[in-house]
Amino acid sequence: MSGTVGNDTPGTLPDMPSSSASFPVSPDPFRLPSHIRPTRYDVRLRPSLSEATFTGQVTIDLDLAEETTSIVLNAIELGIAEVRVDGRDARWELDENTERMTVLLDQPLTGSSAALFVRFDGILNDKLRGFYRSTYVDSDGVEQVIATTQMQATDCRRAFPCWDEPAFKAVFAITLEIEEGLTAISNGTEIERSADAGRTVVRFADTMVMSSYLVAFVVGQLEATDTVDVDGIPLRVLHVPGKSSLAGFGLEVGAFCLRWFQDYYDIAYPSDKVDLVALPDFAAGAMENLGCITFRESLLLVDPDQSTQQERQLVADVVAHELAHMWFGDLVTMRWWNGIWLNEAFATFMEIAACDAFAPDWQRWTSFGLERSSAFEVDSLASTRPVEFEVRSPAEADGMFDVLTYQKGGALLRMLEQYLGAATFRDGVSHYLRTHAYANTETNDLWDAIEETSGRPVRRMMDSWIWQPGFPLVSAELVDDGHLTLRQERFGFGTDVADATWVVPVHVRIDGETHTTLIESSEPVTVALDARPDLVVVNAGGHGFFRVTYGSNLRSRLADPAALAQLDTLERYSIVDDAWAATVAGEMSAADLLTLLEGFVDEREYGVWQAIVIALVGLSRLVDGDPLDAFRGRVRTLLAPALTAVGGPTPGEPDLTGKLRGLLTRTLGALGRDDAVQATCRELFTTGRRGEAVDAELLAAATTVVAVNGDAHDYDTMLDGFTDAATPQEQLRHLYALAEFDDATLVARTCELAMSDRVKTQNAPFLLRAAIANRTHGSSAWEFVKAHWDEANQRFPGNTIIRMVDSVKLLTSDSAVADAAAFFADHPIEQAVQSLEQILERQRVNAALLDREREGFAAFLVDGRP
Ligand SMILES: [Zn+2]
């Protein structure tokens, strides 16, 4: 699954828990008994789109390991009409609490196989889970319905009775009875079509053996692109009518990645076709259903000429991510939900690798630095968690779909790959996939496979990163010019993080030559030097999952502009990012940070500017009034030369040049309040609204700048832009800009809009999050959310509630901290307990930063005093 949503621009001892080392022992409320195993499902469903219901029947072939008098499987929100076992009627019981169905047999089953038949009915729900209803308004203004599925993690049981655990792999044969004029797709290729009682009966090819969470079917008025033949595999994009002009880019990325992954894994694609399906309503970002991958529209449909690089990159990332899962996740699957992190971490790693191959000039591994930083942010808190932990209930696994699973996990794999070498790492991955094809694994199986092919101690190293929370700060010290010492300690924003050590692979570049060393304990490691070095770069290449601090004699050399110019983009990015983290942690003053940032005035790389802008936005929240005005002036002085150097758009320029222009324009206009830039933005926005061509990067920046400085009239124009947008990206830009207005009434309107039918429930929580992040009116947006808490929880997908409240961490007054703590004590978010704790801790960290810096930084800005 991909968690990427919306326009998210910046934006112990290692040991295996014993309970997950062995396979289900009954009775366990979360694990089905394992002596009965399904081998094949024959599922036939008849959805009624207008009634939002369905009827169905399933025949399940079972393998029996021992004599049995009952059969236990999963079912919930289904009405059961009939159950037969080997043709004989059977009784059944349903238990809502355990989401189970028990079939009771009068005669014990004594053979080695049996067939279970169940007839049932259910509802197409509006909660974007199981078999659900998605809607859109067609070109005639009529609401149309699509019936579609999202099974992960445990919602296949809402569509038909099944063994809904990843280790019960089986073949799925799907048949759909659909109304005239509709299209139906599923995991396999359509193999037969017939008519029956006014319906079209569409039968799909058997799937390979796979887990129930990968089953998918979609029924509705869908259009398909022409099929692209990717070395014999048919690939297409499906979407609601009228959007075919937006499908080309996703198709191109899909074809590229499908080929690239077959080559990387050195294993053929494990199914017979790939459909990429854009859905109007989707709770996550996308879902790796075998051969039938579902997406949010904005993550698959894009107009390459009217979109920003970031918007195209999101599509490329997510398409690559889901296709990577076809092998890693679908062909080889975690045994239980504790392994979901590896599934997602690996897909994240491969998404970047494939995207980097697709568009090398995007420098995807450099921009991945930003994603790694988002993991550092959470992992610097006392309330962080280990990447892998024991998971008993599937609900506990819901808490795993976070930045530590995707971004930290992906960054750890990148660090391992860079330590072993890309070819060695890839050989290990391929070996792992071949060894465990069509089966289930534990995390250790991957480390063991890579250890086998590489001969390196992979398991010991990775265990130190996976099973304990946090990450190290590596400090480098030059001693007597004769040697360099490197030591590790745990990095934290507070003093209350527990000590820990890791097996840290460190690349150090000394005067142009790179050395690799391991810091394995709290003991310092010494690197002997031939001569006094001019330049030492620790974490050379910038791929290690740790922060770096330099002793003063090394730091002063790095600060020199000539030295900075010798660093690569990600290394410079890391210097800025580490400095911002040091400020949050209280190790560097805000004034020193600003001075450091101002040393980057000659910087011309997008990646580094991204880190600078994040730090500037953070600093801007420490001051108000005159000091803030002074701060805005310094932002202008710092950024304006770079914007001048970049100049206006030129045909055929690199994508990152346009992206940098957009970032500088947005920051100068919104944070710097630069009059000239604001005027230009207003003009661009108006031109864009007239339907005339405007450079997409500038138009996107202008949309934000106009909102930040806009009035009620601008608000209405923005709302029109949201309503009549031609692409999903344009729609989201206008929507999220509605949260940026600096006007209490307008922000209140945005909050009301989020709770109305005009905003899809997949986007509304993110709009509210943006409103809470509003610099001036965030508190009133938060008051609104609290007042509508029950309604929000009832309407929005469960996994989005925690994202909605993420920006509470930016509300830093003493009363806001106490208020949030009190509110959540009464209104816990059961599906995201740990993430909520992290948000609240980060809020306290931000409040402490403000307390510490407010006066000193204001004085520094106004009269230059430190
Ligand atoms: Zn995924």
Side-chain angles (χ1 to χ4, degrees):
M1 190 150 52
S2 167
T4 317
V5 280
N7 264 7
D8 260 350
T9 40
T12 53
L13 285 172
D15 204 354
M16 194 72 175
S18 56
S19 69
S20 54
S22 61
F23 196 62
V25 181
S26 284
D28 176 327
F30 305 114
R31 303 275 189 114
L32 293 168
S34 59
H35 64 283
I36 304 177
R37 302 184 66 85
T39 56
R40 186 173 192 281
Y41 293 80
D42 211 322
V43 186
R44 186 169 173 133
L45 292 161
R46 183 187 174 94
S48 165
L49 273 49
S50 54
E51 307 280 316
T53 57
F54 62 92
T55 57
Q57 60 183 54
V58 59
T59 302
I60 312 173
D61 297 338
L62 304 173
D63 270 357
L64 311 177
E66 57 192 59
E67 185 177 305
T68 185
T69 54
S70 66
I71 300 170
V72 185
L73 65 162
N74 296 114
I76 185 76
E77 277 182 9
L78 294 175
I80 308 294
E82 182 185 1
V83 178
R84 299 170 77 86
V85 177
D86 287 340
R88 289 191 300 276
D89 284 336
R91 291 174 294 123
W92 69 90
E93 289 170 355
L94 288 168
D95 182 345
E96 266 189 48
N97 290 326
T98 58
E99 305 184 357
R100 281 180 181 181
M101 167 178 174
T102 304
V103 178
L104 304 158
L105 306 164
D106 296 331
Q107 300 281 325
L109 287 172
T110 53
S112 62
S113 66
L116 170 67
F117 171 85
V118 185
R119 203 153 54 75
F120 54 92
D121 57 58
I123 52 157
L124 299 173
N125 68 70
D126 284 324
K127 295 288 280 182
L128 318 189
R129 66 198 299 209
F131 201 9
Y132 74 89
R133 218 172 72 98
S134 174
T135 59
Y136 66 96
V137 176
D138 69 14
S139 53
D140 298 328
V142 178
E143 187 184 77
Q144 299 289 348
V145 177
I146 295 172
T148 185
T149 56
Q150 168 61 36
M151 305 307 196
Q152 195 181 31
T154 56
D155 290 322
C156 191
R157 62 191 67 173
R158 291 170 202 275
F160 56 91
C162 59
W163 273 255
D164 205 6
E165 295 177 11
F168 288 110
K169 285 194 169 186
V171 169
F172 293 84
I174 308 288
T175 302
L176 297 170
E177 299 176 23
I178 60 172
E179 292 156 81
E180 272 320 302
L182 299 185
T183 299
I185 51 169
S186 183
N187 302 95
T189 302
E190 179 181 322
I191 50 169
E192 194 182 298
R193 185 171 271 253
S194 56
D196 180 32
R199 292 259 177 156
T200 305
V201 181
V202 184
R203 202 156 73 82
F204 300 92
D206 284 8
T207 66
M208 67 178 185
V209 291
M210 66 176 199
S211 307
S212 56
Y213 79 89
L214 296 169
V215 171
F217 28 88
V218 186
V219 177
Q221 285 191 11
L222 297 170
E223 273 179 19
T225 61
D226 287 343
T227 298
V228 176
D229 183 316
V230 184
D231 302 336
I233 302 154
L235 167 76
R236 3 170 244 181
V237 169
L238 291 102
H239 50 81
V240 303
K243 299 202 174 180
S244 57
S245 65
L246 305 177
F249 183 78
L251 204 55
E252 183 192 342
V253 179
F256 176 89
C257 292
L258 195 50
R259 239 176 232 125
W260 195 84
F261 286 129
Q262 299 201 75
D263 182 55
Y264 185 95
Y265 296 129
D266 196 21
I267 298 173
Y269 172 67
S271 190
D272 56 358
K273 59 97 177 168
V274 178
D275 285 335
L276 308 173
V277 192
L279 293 169
D281 296 272
F282 202 79
M287 178 65 208
E288 67 268 25
N289 315 301
L290 181 73
C292 185
I293 306 173
T294 45
F295 295 79
R296 283 187 173 218
E297 286 187 337
S298 62
L299 298 178
L300 180 58
L301 303 179
V302 67
D303 178 345
D305 297 327
Q306 303 296 322
S307 53
T308 65
Q309 184 275 344
Q310 182 69 28
E311 290 162 349
R312 290 191 296 284
Q313 181 178 291
L314 267 175
V315 170
D317 278 356
V318 177
V319 170
H321 180 107
E322 305 309 332
L323 283 169
H325 274 311
M326 297 299 110
W327 290 260
F328 205 104
D330 292 10
L331 180 62
V332 178
T333 312
M334 67 272 160
R335 185 160 294 152
W336 183 245
W337 300 111
N338 60 305
I340 197 76
W341 81 265
L342 181 60
N343 199 26
E344 295 305 350
F346 193 85
T348 302
F349 169 83
M350 290 308 293
E351 134 197 349
I352 309 299
C355 192
D356 192 47
F358 173 72
D361 63 338
W362 287 355
Q363 302 177 25
R364 196 61 190 87
W365 281 117
T366 299
S367 56
F368 183 64
L370 184 69
E371 284 144 271
R372 187 188 54 181
S373 298
S374 65
F376 279 152
E377 287 278 307
V378 172
D379 217 18
S380 303
L381 301 168
S383 55
T384 185
R385 63 165 176 88
V387 170
E388 185 163 353
F389 55 86
E390 188 184 356
V391 168
R392 284 186 68 233
S393 71
E396 283 170 4
D398 286 350
M400 270 196 172
F401 289 94
D402 68 1
V403 73
L404 296 171
T405 282
Y406 287 81
Q407 280 77 20
K408 180 178 180 181
L412 295 179
L413 291 170
R414 174 63 168 169
M415 179 167 68
L416 177 63
E417 185 222 25
Q418 292 292 299
Y419 174 62
L420 297 175
T424 306
F425 178 81
R426 163 173 154 166
D427 288 348
V429 169
S430 184
H431 177 54
Y432 164 83
L433 291 172
R434 282 169 199 288
T435 308
H436 302 285
Y438 306 106
N440 295 84
T441 56
E442 300 286 354
T443 302
N444 287 336
D445 294 322
L446 176 63
W447 309 147
D448 291 350
I450 302 178
E451 209 163 288
E452 256 178 71
T453 52
S454 70
R456 311 276 277 278
V458 172
R459 203 209 261 218
R460 187 169 67 90
M461 174 185 293
M462 295 312 286
D463 276 354
S464 80
W465 292 93
I466 297 309
W467 290 103
Q468 53 185 1
F471 63 92
L473 173 71
V474 170
S475 34
E477 198 86 40
L478 191 59
V479 183
D480 307 331
D481 293 345
H483 61 271
L484 184 72
T485 62
L486 300 170
R487 70 180 77 230
Q488 62 165 315
E489 61 185 314
R490 183 165 172 191
F491 181 85
F493 284 149
T495 50
D496 47 358
V497 295
D499 279 347
T501 57
W502 290 261
V503 179
V504 192
V506 184
H507 299 280
V508 186
R509 194 169 64 249
I510 302 167
D511 290 342
E513 199 181 321
T514 302
H515 309 253
T516 303
T517 183
L518 279 183
I519 313 176
E520 304 192 54
S521 68
S522 53
E523 288 299 307
V525 166
T526 302
V527 180
L529 301 171
D530 299 334
R532 181 186 165 84
D534 285 329
L535 185 63
V536 173
V537 182
V538 180
N539 199 7
H543 307 296
F545 195 78
F546 51 88
R547 292 198 182 279
V548 178
T549 178
Y550 294 93
S552 56
N553 47 7
L554 291 171
R555 195 183 325 126
S556 57
R557 290 169 212 204
L558 270 173
D560 179 63
L564 274 183
Q566 289 179 48
L567 306 192
D568 73 23
T569 308
L570 190 52
E571 292 167 352
R572 294 202 300 285
Y573 169 92
S574 297
I575 287 182
V576 174
D577 187 53
D578 286 348
W580 165 238
T583 301
V584 177
E587 301 292 331
M588 181 186 252
S589 72
D592 284 350
L593 174 63
L594 181 57
T595 307
L596 180 138
L597 298 178
E598 287 172 338
F600 283 81
V601 67
D602 295 327
E603 180 62 54
R604 295 295 176 262
E605 287 292 336
Y606 173 80
V608 185
W609 276 111
Q610 210 172 19
I612 296 169
V613 168
I614 288 172
L616 289 172
V617 171
L619 287 176
S620 76
R621 288 204 172 243
L622 302 176
V623 283
D624 249 316
D626 290 345
L628 178 59
D629 288 340
F631 180 78
R632 294 192 196 284
R634 293 180 77 148
V635 168
R636 292 193 292 273
T637 307
L638 173 54
L639 270 70
L643 184 57
T644 306
V646 171
T650 54
E653 69 182 5
D655 281 354
L656 290 190
T657 304
K659 191 179 193 182
L660 174 58
R661 183 183 302 113
L663 177 70
L664 295 170
T665 302
R666 176 183 284 112
T667 309
L668 276 166
L671 187 63
R673 299 282 162 105
D674 185 294
D675 290 335
V677 169
Q678 285 181 11
T680 308
C681 285
R682 190 158 283 280
E683 213 177 295
L684 289 167
F685 182 71
T686 310
T687 310
R689 281 300 299 157
R690 278 202 305 267
E692 293 169 35
V694 179
D695 173 81
E697 300 284 357
L698 284 175
L699 184 57
T703 305
T704 307
V705 172
V706 165
V708 167
N709 304 290
D711 59 15
H713 174 74
D714 297 319
Y715 188 94
D716 290 333
T717 311
M718 202 64 77
L719 197 53
D720 290 344
F722 162 67
T723 312
D724 62 23
T727 70
Q729 290 75 21
E730 200 187 311
Q731 186 181 47
L732 289 179
R733 272 184 234 151
H734 287 94
L735 177 65
Y736 294 130
L738 292 172
E740 303 273 0
F741 283 79
D742 188 7
D743 180 299
T745 317
L746 299 178
V747 173
R749 270 180 77 185
T750 300
C751 292
E752 294 288 352
L753 182 77
M755 296 307 294
S756 77
D757 288 340
R758 292 184 66 185
V759 178
K760 286 204 170 277
T761 59
Q762 65 172 2
N763 296 328
F766 300 94
L767 181 59
L768 290 168
R769 176 176 77 176
I772 297 170
N774 186 293
R775 183 191 162 92
T776 323
H777 309 288
S779 318
S780 36
W782 171 228
E783 289 303 320
F784 177 92
V785 170
K786 285 192 294 180
H788 294 78
W789 187 252
D790 292 343
E791 193 185 344
N793 275 270
Q794 196 247 320
R795 288 190 65 217
F796 303 158
N799 65 336
T800 61
I801 299 299
I802 189 67
R803 289 157 184 244
M804 175 175 72
V805 303
D806 183 70
S807 44
V808 167
K809 67 188 176 199
L810 299 173
L811 305 174
T812 43
S813 70
D814 290 346
S815 62
V817 171
D819 170 78
F823 179 79
F824 286 115
D826 291 339
H827 303 84
I829 304 176
E830 306 286 0
Q831 66 274 30
V833 173
Q834 190 94 25
S835 296
L836 179 58
E837 216 177 297
Q838 289 156 3
I839 291 168
L840 295 176
E841 184 186 346
R842 185 54 201 259
Q843 186 191 23
R844 295 194 297 274
V845 167
N846 284 340
L849 170 66
L850 177 65
D851 274 350
R852 207 165 53 230
E853 292 287 352
R854 183 174 9 214
E855 282 180 25
F857 192 43
F860 172 76
L861 289 167
V862 173
D863 32 76
R865 281 190 289 113

